[in-house]
């Protein structure tokens, strides 16, 4: 059901739509992209975790919370948002990748500490 919306977005910001059935291929494409526009949570995570700036299009509060974890809550957009303006803001953010890399490293470290505590508690 996302294809019509994807077409509208791709027309508005002059970008390609990429689809593939293999999630590893999709993750690689997200990691190689300069920027992404996504409406699915795992696609947004796949982009952010590889320091790819992403416009997260959706209604759920979890998108903005995820983007906040990576230092960019402003990349969450909802229906009615001017997508061209949102894309321009994302392109102009010269520090976007460095912030994503730094926050990603911090989040991976927090995750490792959490799992170490879980393993210690269970053993």
């Amino acid at each position: 059901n996302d294809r019509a919306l994807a077409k509208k977005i791709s027309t508005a910001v002059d970008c390609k739509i990429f689809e593939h059935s293999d999630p590893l291929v999709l993750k690689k494409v997200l990691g190689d992209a300069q920027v992404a526009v996504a409406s699915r949570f795992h696609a947004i995570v796949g982009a952010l975790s590889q320091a790819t700036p992403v416009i997260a299009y959706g209604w759920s509060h979890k998108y903005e919370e995820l983007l906040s974890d990576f230092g960019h809550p402003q990349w969450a957009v909802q229906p009615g948002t001017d997508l061209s303006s949102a894309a321009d803001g994302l392109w102009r953010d010269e520090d976007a990748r460095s912030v994503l890399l730094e926050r990603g490293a911090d989040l991976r470290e927090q995750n490792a500490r959490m799992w170490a505590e879980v393993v210690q508690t269970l053993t």
Side-chain angles (χ1 to χ4, degrees):
N1 295 333
D2 293 350
R3 283 187 178 86
L5 176 60
K7 178 68 175 156
K8 186 175 180 180
I9 292 169
S10 74
T11 300
V13 297
D14 191 27
C15 65
K16 297 178 194 173
I17 297 172
F18 182 82
E19 295 178 281
H20 200 281
S21 60
D22 185 341
L24 295 176
V25 170
L26 294 172
K27 186 170 182 182
K28 170 140 180 37
V29 168
L30 287 170
D32 291 344
Q34 290 181 325
V35 299
V37 177
S39 63
R40 300 296 175 100
F41 189 78
H42 288 100
I44 298 164
V45 170
L48 293 172
S49 66
Q50 299 179 88
T52 299
V54 61
I55 293 176
Y57 189 84
W59 55 268
S60 178
H61 66 280
K62 66 184 177 181
Y63 295 179
E64 189 171 334
E65 291 173 18
L66 174 62
L67 289 163
S68 291
D69 285 345
F70 280 88
H72 292 287
Q74 73 276 13
W75 292 348
V77 299
Q78 297 179 355
T81 300
D82 178 3
L83 292 173
S84 292
S85 176
D88 279 346
L90 189 130
W91 279 110
R92 291 180 191 186
D93 189 345
E94 295 176 7
D95 297 325
R97 283 193 188 271
S98 61
V99 170
L100 292 176
L101 287 167
E102 181 181 319
R103 292 298 304 139
D106 291 345
L107 292 167
R108 282 187 289 281
E109 185 178 311
Q110 289 174 22
N111 191 35
R113 283 195 309 264
M114 177 202 65
W115 283 112
E117 184 177 336
V118 167
V119 168
Q120 182 181 23
T121 299
L122 293 176
T123 55

